[in-house]
Amino acid sequence: QLQLQESGPGLVKPSETLSLTCTVSGGSLSIINYYWGWIRQPPGKGLEWIGSVYYSGSTYSNPSLKSRVAISVDTSKNKFSLRLSSVTAADTAIYYCARSRNWRDFDYWGQGALVTVSS
Amino acid sequence: NFMLTQPHSVSESPGKTVTISCTRSSGSIASNYVEWYQQRPGSAPTTVIYEDNQRPSGVPDRFSGSIDSSSNSASLTISGLKTEDEADYYCQSYDSDNQVFGGGTKLTVL
């Protein structure tokens, strides 16, 4: 059974960089036609796609966040990562990593990691 | 870029049928598949409909999806409502390099 697990600091200071890693277990990250994404959800609000990465290293980002987002993949460790720079309180959210099939639905999700931006 | 618009909330009684709409702002709703997720409090979303109208294994056939090109919208219909269906529901679609979620609909079964 495929499992995804987010990890990283739960508290980040304003103007600093948020960094999260998603570890994939129970399956390989290096599968054609599967993309690995980051989705966030501010407390009490809806889902927002942040970006996705393919095992080859190709990345795709939400235009509204593109200038601050960097997503990378490490196939040797079966992990992919998110870096979001210049964070503000508006970036406080639960951050999910997830797998999407053929750039369509997200069929496996991590449990989510709450990241709070506060001094 | 396009947006997906959902009603903020819907409510219905147990045993009844409810339909949640998802309207695409630009581009054809039929040009890319629409996916639907259920999210219960404190949990990650799970797929209830994929590729417009397909149900993953384990999702009851009370859940169905459709698209309507005339209104440029997709719909999730839940029949025979149960109290356990009370949750937030999100539609999602995509284009060549973007993924878009609707704002979510809170379903209350009362």
Side-chain angles (χ1 to χ4, degrees):
Chain A
Q1 175 79 343
L2 191 74
Q3 292 186 318
L4 291 80
Q5 178 68 58
E6 305 89 353
S7 59
L11 181 64
V12 181
K13 290 182 168 55
S15 80
E16 295 190 345
T17 296
L18 178 159
S19 295
L20 291 171
T21 295
C22 183
T23 301
V24 179
S25 59
S28 175
L29 189 149
S30 303
I31 306 177
I32 62 171
N33 292 331
Y34 285 88
Y35 295 78
W36 305 89
W38 290 97
I39 297 116
R40 70 181 182 178
Q41 185 171 36
K45 296 189 178 181
L47 302 169
E48 180 182 35
W49 174 71
I50 301 169
S52 297
V53 63
Y54 196 54
Y55 77 93
S56 64
S58 297
T59 58
Y60 310 83
S61 301
N62 188 321
S64 68
L65 298 170
K66 198 169 194 126
S67 63
R68 299 195 291 131
V69 167
I71 299 175
S72 59
V73 62
D74 186 338
T75 55
S76 67
K77 295 181 179 178
N78 232 31
K79 296 180 179 181
F80 62 106
S81 299
L82 168 71
R83 288 173 59 85
L84 180 66
S85 62
S86 304
V87 297
T88 69
D91 295 308
T92 293
I94 296 172
Y95 286 76
Y96 294 100
C97 59
R99 185 184 83 166
S100 72
R101 302 183 287 189
N102 296 314
W103 195 245
R104 294 170 186 170
D105 69 304
F106 292 92
D107 60 346
Y108 283 93
W109 296 66
Q111 65 185 25
L114 174 63
V115 179
T116 302
V117 178
S118 174
S119 55
Chain B
N1 221 14
F2 66 94
M3 296 191 304
L4 297 172
T5 300
Q6 300 179 232
H8 185 256
S9 63
V10 295
S11 62
E12 191 49 272
S13 303
K16 300 291 190 180
T17 297
V18 70
T19 297
I20 299 171
S21 62
C22 171
T23 302
R24 181 166 172 154
S25 63
S26 61
S28 171
I29 193 72
S31 62
N32 304 102
Y33 287 122
V34 176
E35 332 290 351
W36 289 92
Y37 302 89
Q38 177 190 70
Q39 186 181 33
R40 295 194 172 102
S43 296
T46 59
T47 305
V48 291
I49 293 291
Y50 68 98
E51 293 180 0
D52 293 342
N53 54 21
Q54 302 299 303
R55 273 179 293 105
S57 60
V59 173
D61 60 6
R62 302 185 296 105
F63 290 79
S64 62
S66 63
I67 63 167
D68 180 357
S69 294
S70 66
S71 60
N72 215 36
S73 64
S75 294
L76 171 68
T77 298
I78 311 171
S79 60
L81 275 169
K82 300 185 176 185
T83 55
E84 68 204 47
D85 299 329
E86 187 162 292
D88 294 326
Y89 291 86
Y90 295 89
C91 60
Q92 175 238 322
S93 192
Y94 53 92
D95 59 22
S96 60
D97 55 3
N98 284 299
Q99 299 280 356
V100 178
F101 286 93
T105 299
K106 181 176 181 59
L107 169 62
T108 301
V109 182
L110 34 65

